[in-house]
Protein backbone atom coordinates (compact mmCIF):
# COMPACT_ATOMS: atom_id res chain seq x y z
CA UNK A 1 0.00 0.00 0.00
CA UNK A 2 1.12 3.53 -0.71
CA UNK A 3 1.23 6.26 1.95
CA UNK A 4 -2.32 7.50 1.19
CA UNK A 5 -3.89 4.06 1.62
CA UNK A 6 -1.69 3.33 4.65
CA UNK A 7 -3.06 6.48 6.28
CA UNK A 8 -6.62 5.46 5.40
CA UNK A 9 -6.13 2.02 7.00
CA UNK A 10 -4.83 3.66 10.20
CA UNK A 11 -7.82 6.03 10.31
CA UNK A 12 -10.22 3.11 9.82
CA UNK A 13 -8.60 1.18 12.68
CA UNK A 14 -8.90 4.28 14.89
CA UNK A 15 -12.64 4.53 14.15
CA UNK A 16 -13.03 0.84 14.95
CA UNK A 17 -11.34 1.30 18.33
CA UNK A 18 -13.60 4.25 19.08
CA UNK A 19 -16.67 2.09 18.36
CA UNK A 20 -15.60 -0.80 20.56
CA UNK A 21 -14.37 -2.98 17.65
CA UNK A 22 -17.95 -3.97 16.77
CA UNK A 23 -18.19 -1.92 13.62
CA UNK A 24 -17.06 1.34 12.18
CA UNK A 25 -19.08 4.15 10.73
CA UNK A 26 -21.11 4.30 7.54
CA UNK A 27 -18.72 4.72 4.64
CA UNK A 28 -19.42 6.78 1.50
CA UNK A 29 -17.31 4.48 -0.70
CA UNK A 30 -16.95 0.71 -0.56
CA UNK A 31 -13.86 0.86 -2.78
CA UNK A 32 -11.06 3.22 -1.73
CA UNK A 33 -8.08 4.04 -3.95
CA UNK A 34 -9.82 3.36 -7.28
CA UNK A 35 -12.63 5.44 -8.77
CA UNK A 36 -14.76 5.58 -11.90
CA UNK A 37 -13.16 7.47 -14.82
CA UNK A 38 -9.87 7.70 -12.95
CA UNK A 39 -6.81 7.93 -15.20
CA UNK A 40 -3.77 5.95 -14.06
CA UNK A 41 -0.25 5.35 -15.33
CA UNK A 42 0.85 1.81 -16.10
CA UNK A 43 2.44 -0.03 -13.20
CA UNK A 44 1.41 -1.40 -9.79
CA UNK A 45 -2.22 -0.96 -8.73
CA UNK A 46 -3.51 -1.22 -5.14
CA UNK A 47 -6.90 -0.40 -3.64
CA UNK A 48 -8.94 -1.51 -0.64
CA UNK A 49 -12.48 -2.85 -0.33
CA UNK A 50 -14.60 -2.28 2.78
CA UNK A 51 -16.34 -5.24 4.35
CA UNK A 52 -19.84 -4.13 5.38
CA UNK A 53 -22.40 -5.47 7.82
CA UNK A 54 -26.14 -5.72 7.11
CA UNK A 55 -26.60 -2.02 7.91
CA UNK A 56 -23.90 -1.01 5.39
CA UNK A 57 -21.54 0.00 8.18
CA UNK A 58 -17.85 -0.80 7.95
CA UNK A 59 -16.81 -4.08 9.54
CA UNK A 60 -13.86 -4.12 11.92
CA UNK A 61 -12.95 -7.79 11.51
CA UNK A 62 -11.79 -9.93 8.62
CA UNK A 63 -13.19 -13.17 7.28
CA UNK A 64 -14.51 -12.20 3.85
CA UNK A 65 -13.10 -13.16 0.48
CA UNK A 66 -13.36 -10.96 -2.61
CA UNK A 67 -12.77 -12.05 -6.18
CA UNK A 68 -11.84 -9.29 -8.63
CA UNK A 69 -11.99 -9.70 -12.40
CA UNK A 70 -9.83 -7.02 -14.04
CA UNK A 71 -10.41 -6.71 -17.80
CA UNK A 72 -9.02 -4.15 -20.21
CA UNK A 73 -9.89 -3.15 -23.79
CA UNK A 74 -6.89 -1.74 -25.66
CA UNK A 75 -6.97 1.23 -28.07
CA UNK A 76 -7.78 0.40 -31.70
CA UNK A 77 -4.21 1.04 -32.88
CA UNK A 78 -2.63 -1.23 -30.24
CA UNK A 79 -1.36 -4.77 -31.12
CA UNK A 80 -3.52 -6.15 -28.29
CA UNK A 81 -7.30 -6.11 -28.31
CA UNK A 82 -7.95 -7.18 -24.70
CA UNK A 83 -6.13 -7.98 -21.46
CA UNK A 84 -7.17 -10.06 -18.46
CA UNK A 85 -5.09 -9.16 -15.40
CA UNK A 86 -4.79 -11.45 -12.34
CA UNK A 87 -5.33 -9.85 -8.95
CA UNK A 88 -4.25 -10.72 -5.42
CA UNK A 89 -6.56 -10.46 -2.40
CA UNK A 90 -5.20 -9.85 1.11
CA UNK A 91 -7.50 -9.81 4.13
CA UNK A 92 -6.03 -7.15 6.46
CA UNK A 93 -8.01 -8.62 9.35
CA UNK A 94 -9.68 -5.29 10.22
CA UNK A 95 -12.59 -5.21 7.79
CA UNK A 96 -10.46 -3.92 4.92
CA UNK A 97 -9.31 -6.06 2.01
CA UNK A 98 -6.35 -5.10 -0.16
CA UNK A 99 -6.50 -5.86 -3.89
CA UNK A 100 -3.27 -5.60 -5.89
CA UNK A 101 -2.41 -6.06 -9.56
CA UNK A 102 0.10 -4.92 -12.16
CA UNK A 103 -1.20 -2.98 -15.17
CA UNK A 104 1.18 -3.25 -18.11
CA UNK A 105 -1.00 -2.32 -21.09
CA UNK A 106 -2.96 0.84 -21.99
CA UNK A 107 -6.72 0.77 -22.34
CA UNK A 108 -10.07 1.09 -20.63
CA UNK A 109 -10.35 -1.30 -17.69
CA UNK A 110 -13.25 -2.59 -15.63
CA UNK A 111 -12.82 -4.02 -12.14
CA UNK A 112 -15.72 -6.37 -11.34
CA UNK A 113 -15.70 -7.07 -7.59
CA UNK A 114 -17.51 -10.07 -6.12
CA UNK A 115 -17.91 -10.88 -2.42
CA UNK A 116 -17.55 -14.65 -2.83
CA UNK A 117 -17.87 -15.92 0.76
CA UNK A 118 -17.65 -15.13 4.43
CA UNK A 119 -16.13 -17.25 7.17
CA UNK A 120 -13.36 -17.63 9.74
CA UNK A 121 -9.71 -17.48 8.72
CA UNK A 122 -9.49 -21.27 8.40
CA UNK A 123 -12.26 -21.20 5.77
CA UNK A 124 -9.53 -20.45 3.24
CA UNK A 125 -8.41 -24.09 3.45
CA UNK A 126 -11.60 -25.64 4.90
CA UNK A 127 -14.38 -24.77 2.42
CA UNK A 128 -17.03 -26.48 4.58
CA UNK A 129 -16.79 -23.48 6.96
CA UNK A 130 -17.55 -20.93 4.27
CA UNK A 131 -20.84 -19.10 3.96
CA UNK A 132 -21.36 -18.47 0.27
CA UNK A 133 -22.49 -14.95 -0.61
CA UNK A 134 -21.77 -14.25 -4.32
CA UNK A 135 -22.78 -10.59 -4.14
CA UNK A 136 -21.40 -8.32 -6.82
CA UNK A 137 -20.36 -4.78 -5.97
CA UNK A 138 -20.68 -1.83 -8.33
CA UNK A 139 -18.05 -2.25 -11.10
CA UNK A 140 -15.34 0.40 -11.38
CA UNK A 141 -14.24 1.60 -14.84
CA UNK A 142 -10.93 3.43 -15.23
CA UNK A 143 -8.27 4.22 -17.84
CA UNK A 144 -4.60 3.25 -18.06
CA UNK A 145 -2.99 5.94 -20.16
CA UNK A 146 0.36 4.51 -21.25
CA UNK A 147 2.04 1.14 -21.49
CA UNK A 148 4.81 0.04 -19.16
CA UNK A 149 8.21 -0.36 -20.81
CA UNK A 150 7.95 -3.83 -22.40
CA UNK A 151 10.66 -6.46 -22.18
CA UNK A 152 11.73 -8.08 -25.44
CA UNK A 153 13.62 -10.88 -23.68
CA UNK A 154 12.66 -14.51 -24.29
CA UNK A 155 11.69 -16.52 -21.19
CA UNK A 156 14.43 -19.13 -20.85
CA UNK A 157 14.42 -19.99 -17.14
CA UNK A 158 11.71 -21.22 -14.81
CA UNK A 159 12.22 -20.44 -11.14
CA UNK A 160 9.74 -21.07 -8.37
CA UNK A 161 6.17 -20.33 -9.47
CA UNK A 162 7.37 -18.74 -12.70
CA UNK A 163 7.18 -15.10 -13.83
CA UNK A 164 3.99 -13.16 -13.13
CA UNK A 165 2.07 -11.67 -16.03
CA UNK A 166 -1.36 -11.38 -17.63
CA UNK A 167 -3.48 -12.94 -20.37
CA UNK A 168 -3.74 -10.89 -23.57
CA UNK A 169 -5.66 -11.28 -26.81
CA UNK A 170 -3.53 -10.58 -29.85
CA UNK A 171 -5.20 -8.38 -32.43
CA UNK A 172 -5.46 -10.33 -35.69
CA UNK A 173 -3.75 -13.32 -34.06
CA UNK A 174 -0.31 -11.89 -34.82
CA UNK A 175 2.33 -13.29 -32.46
CA UNK A 176 5.33 -11.01 -32.14
CA UNK A 177 7.64 -9.57 -29.45
CA UNK A 178 7.22 -8.30 -26.80
CA UNK A 179 4.15 -10.53 -26.41
CA UNK A 180 5.25 -13.84 -27.92
CA UNK A 181 6.99 -15.53 -30.83
CA UNK A 182 5.64 -18.46 -32.81
CA UNK A 183 2.01 -19.29 -33.52
CA UNK A 184 -0.82 -18.54 -31.06
CA UNK A 185 -2.84 -21.29 -32.76
CA UNK A 186 -1.15 -23.77 -30.46
CA UNK A 187 -2.56 -22.00 -27.40
CA UNK A 188 -5.96 -20.56 -28.28
CA UNK A 189 -8.05 -20.29 -31.41
CA UNK A 190 -9.10 -16.82 -30.22
CA UNK A 191 -5.52 -15.56 -29.96
CA UNK A 192 -5.24 -15.50 -26.16
CA UNK A 193 -1.72 -15.99 -24.77
CA UNK A 194 -0.10 -15.59 -21.37
CA UNK A 195 2.57 -12.87 -21.31
CA UNK A 196 4.91 -12.40 -18.32
CA UNK A 197 5.94 -8.87 -17.41
CA UNK A 198 9.68 -9.56 -17.64
CA UNK A 199 9.91 -11.73 -20.78
CA UNK A 200 7.80 -13.51 -23.40
CA UNK A 201 7.27 -17.14 -24.40
CA UNK A 202 7.92 -18.89 -27.67
CA UNK A 203 4.83 -20.85 -28.73
CA UNK A 204 5.96 -24.14 -30.22
CA UNK A 205 4.46 -25.73 -33.30
CA UNK A 206 4.32 -29.53 -33.14
CA UNK A 207 7.50 -30.17 -35.19
CA UNK A 208 9.43 -27.80 -32.90
CA UNK A 209 7.92 -29.38 -29.78
CA UNK A 210 8.92 -32.87 -30.91
CA UNK A 211 12.48 -31.71 -31.58
CA UNK A 212 12.64 -30.48 -27.97
CA UNK A 213 11.22 -33.59 -26.28
CA UNK A 214 12.69 -36.28 -28.54
CA UNK A 215 14.64 -38.79 -26.46
CA UNK A 216 13.69 -37.19 -23.14
CA UNK A 217 11.85 -38.35 -20.03
CA UNK A 218 9.14 -35.88 -18.93
CA UNK A 219 7.64 -36.14 -15.45
CA UNK A 220 4.33 -34.53 -14.45
CA UNK A 221 3.43 -34.76 -10.76
CA UNK A 222 0.58 -33.10 -8.90
CA UNK A 223 -3.18 -33.17 -8.42
CA UNK A 224 -6.06 -32.90 -10.91
CA UNK A 225 -4.78 -29.54 -12.24
CA UNK A 226 -1.43 -31.05 -13.22
CA UNK A 227 -3.25 -34.06 -14.63
CA UNK A 228 -5.17 -31.79 -16.97
CA UNK A 229 -1.94 -30.03 -17.99
CA UNK A 230 -0.41 -33.42 -18.76
CA UNK A 231 -3.34 -34.52 -20.94
CA UNK A 232 -3.51 -31.18 -22.77
CA UNK A 233 0.24 -31.32 -23.46
CA UNK A 234 -0.03 -34.81 -24.93
CA UNK A 235 -3.10 -33.98 -27.00
CA UNK A 236 -2.55 -30.43 -28.23
CA UNK A 237 1.21 -29.93 -28.19
CA UNK A 238 2.36 -33.41 -29.26
CA UNK A 239 -0.75 -34.23 -31.30
CA UNK A 240 -1.39 -37.63 -29.69
CA UNK A 241 -5.00 -38.58 -29.02
CA UNK A 242 -4.08 -40.57 -25.92
CA UNK A 243 -6.33 -38.50 -23.66
CA UNK A 244 -9.24 -37.74 -26.03
CA UNK A 245 -11.84 -39.80 -24.16
CA UNK A 246 -10.70 -39.30 -20.60
CA UNK A 247 -13.76 -38.84 -18.42
CA UNK A 248 -15.63 -40.57 -15.64
CA UNK A 249 -14.10 -43.93 -14.67
CA UNK A 250 -11.29 -43.66 -17.25
CA UNK A 251 -9.98 -40.47 -15.59
CA UNK A 252 -8.19 -42.47 -12.87
CA UNK A 253 -6.38 -44.48 -15.51
CA UNK A 254 -4.17 -41.47 -16.18
CA UNK A 255 -3.34 -40.72 -12.53
CA UNK A 256 -0.29 -42.97 -12.41
CA UNK A 257 0.85 -43.40 -15.96
CA UNK A 258 4.15 -44.21 -17.64
CA UNK A 259 4.45 -44.67 -21.35
CA UNK A 260 6.78 -44.10 -24.31
CA UNK A 261 4.94 -42.14 -27.00
CA UNK A 262 5.93 -41.78 -30.66
CA UNK A 263 5.44 -38.87 -32.99
CA UNK A 264 2.46 -39.82 -35.24
CA UNK A 265 4.29 -38.25 -38.21
CA UNK A 266 7.79 -39.51 -37.45
CA UNK A 267 7.95 -42.77 -35.52
CA UNK A 268 11.68 -42.34 -34.89
CA UNK A 269 10.91 -39.47 -32.49
CA UNK A 270 9.95 -40.76 -29.05
CA UNK A 271 9.41 -39.36 -25.58
CA UNK A 272 8.77 -41.07 -22.26
CA UNK A 273 5.95 -39.31 -20.40
CA UNK A 274 5.17 -40.11 -16.80
CA UNK A 275 2.31 -38.86 -14.62
CA UNK A 276 2.63 -39.36 -10.85
CA UNK A 277 -0.46 -38.54 -8.82
CA UNK A 278 -0.02 -36.90 -5.42
CA UNK A 279 -3.43 -35.34 -4.86
CA UNK A 280 -5.01 -35.19 -1.43
CA UNK A 281 -8.60 -35.83 -0.27
CA UNK A 282 -10.83 -32.80 0.15
CA UNK A 283 -13.24 -32.27 3.06
CA UNK A 284 -15.66 -34.76 1.45
CA UNK A 285 -12.99 -37.47 1.29
CA UNK A 286 -12.71 -37.27 -2.51
CA UNK A 287 -9.29 -37.20 -4.14
CA UNK A 288 -8.64 -34.35 -6.57
Amino acid sequence: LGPVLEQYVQQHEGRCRANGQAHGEAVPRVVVGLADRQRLPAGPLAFVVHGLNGDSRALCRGGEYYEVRLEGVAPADHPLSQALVPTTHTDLGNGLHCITAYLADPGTYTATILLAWEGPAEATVLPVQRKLVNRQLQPVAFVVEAAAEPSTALCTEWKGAGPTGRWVQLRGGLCRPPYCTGSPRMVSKDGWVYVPHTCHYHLYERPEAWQCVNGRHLLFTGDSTMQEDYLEFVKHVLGIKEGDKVNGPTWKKFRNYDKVLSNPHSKAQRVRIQMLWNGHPDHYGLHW
Side-chain angles (χ1 to χ4, degrees):
L1 295 177
V4 175
L5 286 180
E6 287 281 7
Q7 183 180 19
Y8 186 87
V9 171
Q10 293 173 7
Q11 292 172 346
H12 167 74
E13 292 175 340
R15 290 191 292 268
C16 285
R17 286 192 295 271
N19 285 280
Q21 296 293 337
H23 55 74
E25 302 172 349
V27 292
R29 293 176 296 167
V30 178
V31 177
V32 179
L34 185 66
D36 265 329
R37 297 183 295 277
Q38 186 173 355
R39 306 187 77 86
L40 300 172
L45 169 71
F47 60 92
V48 296
V49 179
H50 266 288
L52 303 178
N53 65 9
D55 297 325
S56 297
R57 297 174 70 85
L59 292 174
C60 292
R61 49 97 183 135
E64 297 179 311
Y65 185 81
Y66 290 86
E67 295 179 356
V68 179
R69 184 177 178 88
L70 195 54
E71 299 175 277
V73 178
D77 58 350
H78 197 271
L80 305 181
S81 57
Q82 297 182 73
L84 185 58
V85 181
T87 60
T88 300
H89 165 268
T90 302
D91 186 346
L92 300 182
N94 56 9
L96 295 179
H97 302 263
C98 178
I99 308 298
T100 58
Y102 188 87
L103 302 171
D105 309 297
T108 302
Y109 285 78
T110 300
T112 304
I113 306 170
L114 178 75
L115 172 56
W117 51 264
E118 299 172 337
E122 56 268 26
T124 303
V125 293
L126 295 173
V128 72
Q129 298 193 30
R130 299 175 187 172
K131 176 187 175 183
L132 297 181
V133 180
N134 288 334
R135 182 172 72 244
Q136 183 172 315
L137 281 62
Q138 182 69 30
V140 180
F142 59 98
V143 175
V144 176
E145 294 185 307
E149 188 65 28
S151 171
T152 58
L154 182 67
C155 298
T156 57
E157 295 184 5
W158 189 270
K159 297 179 180 179
T164 59
R166 73 284 190 203
W167 286 93
V168 301
Q169 187 179 38
L170 305 171
R171 195 179 299 277
L174 297 178
C175 188
R176 58 194 177 193
Y179 304 107
C180 61
T181 56
S183 172
R185 294 176 302 173
M186 296 303 296
V187 176
S188 167
K189 65 180 180 180
D190 298 322
W192 284 93
V193 295
Y194 184 77
V195 182
H197 296 307
T198 57
C199 55
H200 67 269
Y201 291 123
H202 179 75
L203 310 182
Y204 287 85
E205 296 275 10
R206 277 182 193 147
E208 294 177 298
W210 272 105
Q211 288 178 7
C212 286
V213 303
N214 184 36
R216 296 179 180 270
H217 177 189
L218 304 184
L219 172 64
F220 293 77
T221 181
D223 55 14
S224 58
T225 301
M226 181 57 70
Q227 186 179 11
E228 290 179 8
D229 290 341
Y230 153 70
L231 292 170
E232 291 298 311
F233 177 80
V234 169
K235 179 180 177 181
H236 293 294
V237 179
L238 299 185
I240 296 175
K241 301 187 182 300
E242 187 73 20
D244 263 5
K245 298 181 180 180
V246 180
N247 54 59
T250 62
W251 182 257
K252 291 185 177 180
K253 169 187 172 184
F254 292 90
R255 286 192 168 175
N256 291 289
Y257 192 70
D258 190 348
K259 192 171 183 180
V260 175
L261 303 175
S262 299
N263 185 347
H265 304 289
S266 178
K267 297 298 183 181
Q269 290 183 318
R270 295 184 175 187
V271 59
R272 179 185 173 189
I273 302 226
Q274 191 175 7
M275 172 68 204
L276 293 181
W277 171 261
N278 71 350
H280 299 284
D282 62 12
H283 60 285
Y284 296 113
L286 300 176
H287 287 265
W288 300 102

